[in-house]
Amino acid sequence: MKVQNQNDKNVTMFESVELGQVISKQEFKGQEPEIRAQLLALQRELRDANIATLIIVAGVEAAGKGDVVNRLNKWFDSRGVQTHAFWDETDEEKERPDTWRFWRRMPARGSIGIMFGGWYWDPLRERANGRIDDVDLDEVSRAIGEHERMLSLDGMLIIKLWFHLSKDAHVRRMKKRHELQKHIKGLPTEGAGVETYDEYLIAAERCIRLTDSGECPWHLVESDDKWFRDLSVARVLTSMMHQRMEEHRVSDRRMQVHEPTIPVDNHPLTILDHVDLTASLPREEYKKLLKRYKARLHELAWQAYAAKKSTMIVFEGWDAAGKGGTIRRMTSAIDARLFRSISVAAPTDEERAHHYLWRFWRRVPRAGYMTIYDRSWYGRVLVERVEGFAEHYEWMRAYREINTFEEQLVNHGIVLIKFWLHISPEEQLRRFKEREELSWKQYKITEEDWRNREKWNEYKQAVKTMVEHTSTGLAPWTLIPANDKLFARIEVLKTVCEQLSDVIETN
Amino acid sequence: MKVQNQNDKNVTMFESVELGQVISKQEFKGQEPEIRAQLLALQRELRDANIATLIIVAGVEAAGKGDVVNRLNKWFDSRGVQTHAFWDETDEEKERPDTWRFWRRMPARGSIGIMFGGWYWDPLRERANGRIDDVDLDEVSRAIGEHERMLSLDGMLIIKLWFHLSKDAHVRRMKKRHELQKHIKGLPTEGAGVETYDEYLIAAERCIRLTDSGECPWHLVESDDKWFRDLSVARVLTSMMHQRMEEHRVSDRRMQVHEPTIPVDNHPLTILDHVDLTASLPREEYKKLLKRYKARLHELAWQAYAAKKSTMIVFEGWDAAGKGGTIRRMTSAIDARLFRSISVAAPTDEERAHHYLWRFWRRVPRAGYMTIYDRSWYGRVLVERVEGFAEHYEWMRAYREINTFEEQLVNHGIVLIKFWLHISPEEQLRRFKEREELSWKQYKITEEDWRNREKWNEYKQAVKTMVEHTSTGLAPWTLIPANDKLFARIEVLKTVCEQLSDVIETN
């Protein structure tokens, strides 16, 4: 982003803020009480409006980011503020997709999170040090943009601050810091010191340009003078927070849908009608195959563990399609130390205080382990859509959000397998009746199941749209004919074994 | 625990269950429907009563623990059950006290948690392999007993199952398993195989004896015959769960207080009256010392990081005693990447679904980091006691629970520093009035503060009891005279610096 100055010399975006702006301590102190009162009032308004605020503090090393954060902790009511740095990655974090460690620290609705560097830290340092190239940086920047937009559409206020220092000032401060800290052992460097100042700024400019959006704009802050710097921060914060509250008063930001509208046709014929529900398996054959595949799966699970390959297996399907029974046959083959099975129920209040994907990020398995989901994040576009628990604009967005989520999982090397267990309405009715009769199955059948059944066609349309939009090359759906339980179980086991062998053999 | 059999030969507790009990598959299958229906009904009752159930599955290797867990997942409604194994410790776990990884996986009220080995796994294996001795094992067993009692008094139903195999059966099964699994790479061993069978049982007998209590008894299950084994498990579970519900119907288990009753005297003179509230510091001196201690603390925080020493600093004190301001002076000296400050507010629903210490365990810092608490677990014996949020029997128990908690922290090598910031009622009044006048301080003063003030004497008694019972050699309280804010801040900084230097220098 080059702009022309009056002398017709090219300036970078950063030079455009090297204006030598200075204010006196006295002037700053004079304004501070008013600033504090304003920020506190805004913090309270955002809290009451249940809006999460994320402040990303990025920029040149030694620009005083730590001091700014201290100031913010003084200005705000610190009871609603959490600060996070991401420089010292744990193995639990390394074993999951990159974004996991940020999801872990995401501010809840009504609270403020301050992140040092946030998701910008790593890519900028890596680019400055030449470990990734511009194509990689662009790719990461695109992903960051998408991520921020998702959070923003979920209601979050994201304020991104870039603290700039001219090269001279940077060199001077780094020298001074070095002098002060040279006797401290074990001090890590940000990896963006004096030697790579130019490269760092070139990378930053590129990344800022690509992630500077209407929803989540960047704010460049000249940081040579600390009083001017902190006053600038105060102005950005009050204006962004104020604006967010104004917006909140007139409309719900979450209602903005930028996705192409998904035409909801009600054509009765869907992909599900092509599932051959007559498929079946004689019991003798089933017993033989079950034994064979269980032995194979037992082995594969250990091999995946040894190869540090994680697996996530999603089960969706009609009520009474046999998800639970199939999962049990599968898990009984796997060493209990290697898997976790999760039944997705109503979210807790901590979960409700975040983007709906947060609770699934929470449970992403460590390297080498399996997680098996009895229902999943697809609830958003199935039950939440049909029952109206999610608004139209929420579930419409979800297809893309889910695809991005799954892309991150798969790109990290996680094996993701998604099953839809399909049965006919007649078979469901038969099973419901059976459940009502057998004492140990009665808990499985509720009024709700009967109500859901009445919405068969609506669910069918939801499944159609779901499969159309989320059966991607990276993470395809496997539709399982499940009128015959034995056939379904073997199909599932076979699919899992095949996918795992593929991955382990090519490893 | 030797018992005499008819032939006057000594038998161990384990031999006493080597009875060769066998039932037929047919008999088992005949009883299973009834068992399932019973267990499901009990699971629902316990869920509705908001009681957590913890099932610990321990015993001889190859006794079929995994198969039992699979069976339980079939019998119960798996939506309320989570299974956990603890064999593959992460670094995040290694960096915290041993019990942290169990607290992480503790079942919430109303749900069932199944733990493989649980807290018995490590000590038994270590003892069998001779890496710890009997004294260590006794010490661990004592701690386990205390831990289980605490959970039990909090309402949890703990069911401990020990699966026993005679040596012959064990050797036979281990051989067979080895045959089946020999081509799988990366298979971990439980460390309690054929070679250490005898040592493992000797250790287990000792530990079982020490942890076999009325509240949390052990159940030995003969495991040679799988049908008999699983039927035995079903019988133990139904009887324990049934008994817990019966107990729940007549009384609240949490009301049992076994601690010596703490006499609550209302003598007006307490340790707080010995705090010299006239202590003060001239501003010039303050400025000089503040600068000195901040520089020192900055350095010490980095040294502690390098030495992998964690620090937890607790701030308690009267409203308006200056906790926030003191914390800010302290944190502004520490690199923001090294500390986290936590303001203790109302618990979330996930937190309420666990023992009250759970939410503090959640936030125990990693090795090398600091956590600073603005209010803490002492809320239990201060505000919760005075305001009646905790019952008498709950806060009475808390002193001991807190001492045990802190003992675990300190024994792990965490530096724990506890401050009580003390001011006079007159000084508090002055500060309340000041807060009402200054716009940026108004948020700090609420109706509640005025109400709390009226209970000054009750709070004073609560502080007295707290200090008497929790100012232990391992984790003493530091009472800070805080009528003069400058004096208080320097005292705190000085104390923290001294404690950190002590630890780092002796490291």
Side-chain angles (χ1 to χ4, degrees), chain A residues 45-248:
Chain A
E45 285 179 46
L46 285 160
R47 187 192 64 205
D48 295 344
N50 218 14
I51 293 169
T53 305
L54 174 63
I55 302 173
I56 296 180
V57 173
V60 174
E61 187 159 1
K65 299 189 287 288
D67 294 339
V68 168
V69 171
N70 283 331
R71 182 85 69 193
L72 294 182
N73 274 305
K74 182 181 162 195
W75 283 344
F76 285 120
D77 179 353
S78 63
R79 283 168 292 185
V81 183
Q82 278 293 333
T83 305
H84 306 285
F86 299 93
W87 61 300
D88 190 9
E89 214 175 351
T90 69
D91 66 351
E92 292 200 19
E93 289 168 348
K94 287 187 192 118
E95 291 182 7
R96 280 142 172 140
D98 282 347
T99 41
W100 189 75
R101 58 194 174 128
F102 303 113
W103 278 101
R104 266 184 123 175
R105 304 291 178 228
M106 215 61 95
R109 300 188 205 286
S111 76
I112 298 177
I114 302 176
M115 290 187 181
F116 274 98
W119 29 79
Y120 292 97
W121 191 290
D122 272 348
L124 292 186
R125 194 190 47 204
E126 295 298 285
R127 181 68 197 101
N129 290 312
R131 283 190 292 265
I132 62 172
D133 63 18
D134 277 347
V135 177
D136 300 325
L137 183 64
D138 290 0
E139 175 61 18
V140 175
S141 304
R142 185 202 60 76
I144 288 175
E146 173 120 14
H147 182 63
E148 290 179 350
R149 199 163 139 267
M150 179 185 69
L151 295 172
S152 166
L153 284 173
D154 190 50
M156 188 180 280
L157 168 61
I158 303 180
I159 304 176
K160 301 188 289 192
L161 301 165
W162 183 270
F163 293 90
H164 181 67
L165 272 187
S166 64
K167 193 162 185 174
D168 285 355
H170 173 66
V171 170
R172 208 167 50 241
R173 289 210 199 163
M174 289 298 278
K175 201 176 276 175
K176 192 174 155 204
R177 177 193 285 190
H178 182 71
E179 209 48 49
L180 277 170
Q181 300 189 329
K182 65 183 171 190
H183 57 294
I184 305 177
K185 285 171 303 183
L187 209 62
T189 57
E190 291 187 31
V194 173
E195 313 73 35
T196 53
Y197 176 89
D198 294 325
E199 290 77 6
Y200 194 68
L201 283 202
I202 291 168
E205 209 230 39
R206 194 175 182 99
C207 180
I208 286 178
R209 179 163 46 80
L210 290 168
T211 56
D212 197 21
S213 67
E215 297 124 357
C216 310
W218 274 100
H219 305 274
L220 305 190
V221 179
E222 185 179 15
S223 308
D224 288 47
D225 177 69
K226 68 175 173 177
W227 307 116
F228 177 79
R229 178 195 67 202
D230 290 1
L231 196 62
S232 307
V233 169
R235 285 188 184 137
V236 169
L237 293 185
T238 44
S239 111
M240 292 291 286
M241 291 168 87
H242 179 72
Q243 196 182 312
R244 184 70 187 79
M245 280 311 301
E246 284 297 297
E247 189 193 325
H248 175 74

Side-chain angles (χ1 to χ4, degrees), chain B residues 13 119-120 123-124 137-138 140-142 144 160 162 200-212 218:
Chain B
M13 63 164 77
W119 29 78
Y120 291 98
L124 293 185
L137 184 64
D138 290 359
V140 174
S141 304
R142 186 204 58 78
I144 287 175
K160 302 187 289 191
W162 183 271
Y200 194 68
L201 283 202
I202 291 167
E205 210 231 36
R206 194 174 183 101
C207 181
I208 286 176
R209 180 165 43 81
L210 290 168
T211 55
D212 197 22
W218 274 101

